[in-house]
Amino acid sequence: MGKLVLGLSAYYHDSAAVLVRDGRPIAAAQEERFTRKRHDPAFPAEAVKYCLAEGGVGLDDVDAVAYYEDPKLKFGRVLTSFAASSPFSLEAFTRVLPEWTSWKRDTVGRVRRSLAELGQGAVPEINVRRHHESHAASAFLPSPYESAAVLCIDGVGEWATTTLWHGQGSRIRHLAEIRYPHSLGMLYSAFTYFCGFKVDSGEYKLMGLAPYGVPRYADVIRQHLIDVKDDGSFRLNMSNFEFLRGQVMTGRGFEQLFGGPRREPESPLTEREFDLAASVQLVTEEVVLKLARTARQMTGEANLCLAGGVALNCVANGKVIQEKVFDSVWVQPAAGDAGGALGAALMVAAELGAPRAHLAEGGDGMSSSLLGPGFSDEEIARFLDDLGVPYTRLDEESIAKQVAEELATGKIVGWFQGRMEFGPRALGARSIIGDPRDVDMQSTMNLKIKFRESFRPFAPSVLAEEVEEYFDLHQESPYMLVVAPVAKQRRLDAEESAQATGLDRLKVHRSTIPAVTHVDHSARVQTVTASSNPTYHRLLTAFKQVTGCPVLVNTSFNVRGEPIVATPYDAYQCFMRTNIDLLALGNFLLNKADQPAWREQGDWRKEIALD
């Protein structure tokens, strides 16, 4: 059976479970996909049950449990932070202290009890790792490199906010770190909050907003908020931040620097928000580039691995690649806290003697991040028949061909295939797809499918063998974590209107694939190979045969405020409650026009075979 390690992250956001066998992840999922609570921080009971079932094992078979951070060190940081900002932090301290004294200090004990309550066997030893060690292990151990520099940047773990490591063989060595409260992630989250978005989930909105503005506040940020040295080390001017006091991210300091109070959530966006986003994005890229150069200098390595929440800033990742700081860059697809469960498990597995077997096979060790639940055609057929809805069953080649033909006519398709992705990106398993050549596709998907802000860009999936024909990208990007310019030969000569500012810039058509071309001619690229995802590669190939274009719009299969769909039920529900035209569930194709009216009343979960 081999050595088995169960990795867990929990109790902050994006709780997750991962099962690793002999150093290779065989199952991984975030708890939110099962509970349908976005960013669910609860103990990942459902994710654990899934991982054990996927592995065909119980807890009795597991050699060790790995927890992604050290609660005792974290509690020390919380106490120290509140003490440093006293008496202003008294109210917040009084609010959180009971939680810490009642159970958070004994998080490991709570994890042990929660595992025991699952009734899956005796709970093995729980091995506690540090937060950034888990990030670093998740970045390096499944990477395709024998050795590499490793850079982890996030909000905060126990104390570390930025760490540099050297990975060699199956070991990672800690080289340097920056500590709380000095945090690039906290800086970015402060602007997320000030611009009216939700911290820990709205940062990607700020990144998408940045190209609509000009970085006119960048000097203000450099002079008053963050002091950055040539090696990328930095310090925040804490007099202008409020997060140490535990109530809000920003206050009077930001209001004075940026001309007024924070934007109220859901209120109209103004030029100030566009320019604030552009400014903090530019400063973030500058810091990441300096840190990357220092990583290269300190390790002498030609390859870089990235993890931590800031590694989800795919624009900054793209800058590191474009500047050729390293020969190759690999980003952990579950770069946030969910990936901490993976890193903790891989670290313990390495210490138990597990090899990095994927290195001999070529590629990385993430199985294309397709590590979540999958459903056979028999299971899907039973679900659809129990539901009593019309469908057409096709073979693999036929469904790819028919979906490609429908996409070419402007149809939007829910694409539910194989095992679910681990991490925040839909990679062609739980995706909504469309024609990138359609000038109205972005607005249609945003407003009628996703029910989200109109400024949000969509990402392209492209056949890996065709990527350089459409994008200025010279390495693979399998996990949609790198932004690259659209190739010059695909851009249009149309000049920007002198009056086009802010969101009006959406109306300007910039390339032959306008639905995936952002206002700065960039795109968040996913490259697809036949080996990484044969089903999705087959669809892209069929679309190219129909249209001559090897690119598709790929956005996650969910609507605003909900997690990505996990089951056929979730997919059908999203299909029927949006303007998606067709649903491809495995080899079954459903047409919206043929479906009975959506039953709003009652709980369908009690009526169907798959829940």
Side-chain angles (χ1 to χ4, degrees):
M1 183 177 291
K3 294 288 186 180
L4 289 168
V5 181
L6 179 68
L8 301 174
S9 64
Y11 306 128
Y12 181 49
H13 60 85
D14 294 313
S15 293
V18 177
L19 186 65
V20 169
R21 175 179 283 139
D22 288 335
R24 188 189 297 271
I26 60 171
Q30 297 106 295
E31 185 70 0
E32 66 165 17
R33 306 295 171 85
F34 304 94
T35 63
R36 310 310 297 159
K37 298 176 183 176
R38 195 171 185 214
H39 303 301
D40 194 343
F43 176 78
E46 298 304 316
V48 170
K49 287 189 282 188
Y50 155 68
C51 287
L52 294 176
E54 183 68 37
V57 299
L59 285 171
D60 290 323
D61 302 305
V62 173
D63 295 282
V65 174
Y67 190 68
Y68 82 126
E69 67 180 8
D70 188 329
K72 292 182 179 179
L73 283 178
K74 192 171 184 177
F75 183 50
R77 188 255 299 165
V78 170
L79 288 178
T80 302
S81 299
F82 279 131
S85 55
S86 178
F88 305 104
S89 59
L90 183 60
E91 181 181 345
F93 180 65
T94 303
R95 187 178 68 252
V96 305
L97 185 62
E99 192 175 44
W100 275 101
T101 55
S102 63
W103 68 268
K104 277 195 172 181
R105 281 193 301 170
D106 187 33
T107 295
V108 174
R110 184 168 183 166
V111 168
R112 184 178 291 108
R113 292 189 293 273
S114 296
L115 285 170
E117 289 169 1
L118 297 179
Q120 299 272 342
V123 179
E125 177 187 356
I126 297 177
N127 192 308
V128 174
R129 316 305 303 202
R130 294 195 181 187
H131 189 102
H132 268 244
E133 178 190 40
S134 296
H135 277 320
S138 78
F140 175 66
L141 292 177
S143 79
Y145 311 132
E146 178 66 37
S147 64
V150 184
L151 189 57
C152 303
I153 314 170
D154 65 1
V156 61
E158 295 87 5
W159 278 102
T161 67
T162 302
T163 52
L164 172 60
W165 309 73
H166 193 178
Q168 294 176 298
S170 294
R171 299 183 61 188
I172 52 172
R173 182 165 57 94
H174 178 264
L175 299 180
E177 72 178 44
I178 299 170
R179 290 192 148 206
Y180 188 82
H182 308 291
S183 165
L184 192 61
M186 286 294 190
L187 174 72
Y188 208 86
S189 291
F191 279 87
T192 300
Y193 173 84
F194 193 69
C195 289
F197 303 122
K198 188 176 181 180
V199 172
D200 289 330
S201 65
E203 284 78 5
Y204 58 93
K205 296 181 183 180
L206 196 71
M207 183 178 64
L209 196 65
Y212 292 94
V214 294
R216 63 188 178 95
Y217 296 111
D219 282 341
V220 176
I221 295 171
R222 297 184 190 106
Q223 293 168 14
H224 297 282
L225 295 181
I226 183 170
D227 178 25
V228 185
K229 305 302 183 185
D230 289 342
D231 64 357
S233 61
F234 56 85
R235 292 183 64 83
L236 301 185
N237 179 358
M238 296 311 302
S239 65
N240 285 317
F241 295 89
E242 298 295 322
F243 60 80
L244 266 180
R245 303 180 183 186
Q247 297 281 347
V248 295
M249 294 296 295
T250 65
R252 185 173 299 175
F254 265 59
E255 292 175 1
Q256 292 175 342
L257 286 172
F258 304 118
R262 71 181 286 247
R263 169 185 171 255
E264 288 297 319
E266 306 301 329
S267 65
L269 290 160
T270 69
E271 290 292 333
R272 186 185 69 157
E273 283 75 52
F274 302 147
D275 295 344
L276 286 169
S279 300
V280 73
Q281 178 63 37
L282 175 61
V283 173
T284 298
E285 292 165 16
E286 291 172 349
V287 177
V288 171
L289 276 169
K290 288 181 177 181
L291 288 168
R293 292 188 176 104
T294 296
R296 175 93 193 226
Q297 181 180 11
M298 289 184 68
T299 64
E301 294 288 351
N303 303 311
L304 174 68
C305 301
L306 293 169
V310 176
L312 294 173
N313 192 310
C314 46
V315 180
N317 298 342
K319 294 293 183 184
V320 173
I321 292 171
Q322 290 166 32
E323 292 290 324
K324 299 181 180 178
V325 181
F326 287 86
D327 295 351
S328 181
V329 176
W330 190 84
V331 187
Q332 165 54 235
D337 280 5
L342 170 67
L346 290 173
M347 195 76 246
V348 172
E351 291 172 353
L352 292 173
R356 298 175 68 204
H358 67 274
L359 291 178
E361 301 165 5
D364 64 41
M366 287 300 296
S367 299
S368 303
S369 210
L370 303 176
L371 295 166
F375 300 87
S376 68
D377 276 354
E378 288 69 28
E379 290 174 305
I380 294 172
R382 188 170 75 249
F383 161 74
L384 293 172
D385 290 340
D386 286 351
L387 210 56
V389 298
Y391 60 82
T392 301
R393 185 168 186 168
L394 302 164
D395 59 36
E396 291 180 342
E397 294 294 337
S398 297
I399 198 167
K401 183 175 184 295
Q402 188 162 335
V403 169
E405 290 171 350
E406 297 283 4
L407 288 166
T409 68
K411 298 291 180 61
I412 296 172
V413 180
W415 186 251
F416 184 102
Q417 304 289 329
R419 296 180 68 179
M420 181 177 68
E421 303 92 339
F422 179 53
R425 307 293 185 219
L427 301 170
R430 304 291 185 272
S431 294
I432 299 172
I433 51 181
D435 186 345
R437 304 168 305 152
D438 189 332
V439 296
D440 297 319
M441 187 58 66
Q442 181 185 10
S443 60
T444 299
M445 278 190 161
N446 270 327
L447 301 177
K448 295 183 179 182
I449 307 293
K450 302 285 282 188
F451 306 126
R452 68 184 196 180
E453 302 91 345
S454 62
F455 68 84
R456 303 270 297 280
F458 287 107
S461 297
V462 59
L463 293 171
E465 55 269 31
E466 304 271 3
V467 62
E468 293 186 30
E469 287 295 315
Y470 282 80
F471 305 98
D472 186 11
L473 181 63
H474 308 291
Q475 71 165 62
E476 288 192 4
S477 176
Y479 301 121
M480 202 186 286
L481 284 170
V482 174
V483 163
V486 172
K488 290 183 179 179
Q489 64 265 29
R490 300 297 168 184
R491 299 184 190 183
L492 300 179
D493 294 331
E495 295 182 1
E496 296 259 4
S497 169
Q499 287 75 38
T501 59
L503 297 184
D504 286 340
R505 298 178 67 192
L506 276 170
K507 301 172 184 176
V508 179
H509 304 149
R510 295 174 175 79
S511 79
T512 59
I513 45 172
V516 294
T517 303
H518 208 6
V519 295
D520 59 352
H521 293 99
S522 70
R524 177 161 51 92
V525 181
Q526 177 200 4
T527 55
V528 181
T529 65
S531 58
S532 66
N533 191 332
T535 303
Y536 196 36
H537 188 273
R538 189 179 301 114
L539 176 63
L540 282 158
T541 301
F543 187 72
K544 181 188 176 185
Q545 290 170 348
V546 172
T547 66
C549 177
V551 182
L552 285 171
V553 180
N554 176 11
T555 188
S556 55
F557 200 157
N558 66 320
V559 296
R560 184 183 184 190
E562 293 186 359
I564 294 173
V565 301
T567 67
Y569 170 83
D570 300 330
Y572 189 80
Q573 183 184 53
C574 187
F575 168 56
M576 292 300 294
R577 288 181 172 170
T578 65
N579 288 307
I580 296 174
D581 299 298
L582 296 157
L583 173 62
L585 284 173
N587 286 325
F588 301 84
L589 190 61
L590 290 76
N591 192 313
K592 177 68 68 61
D594 298 335
Q595 302 305 304
W598 173 255
R599 287 179 277 177
E600 292 289 351
Q601 303 300 319
D603 184 1
W604 283 24
R605 289 179 184 268
K606 297 175 182 177
E607 303 175 25
I608 60 177
L610 291 177
D611 190 336

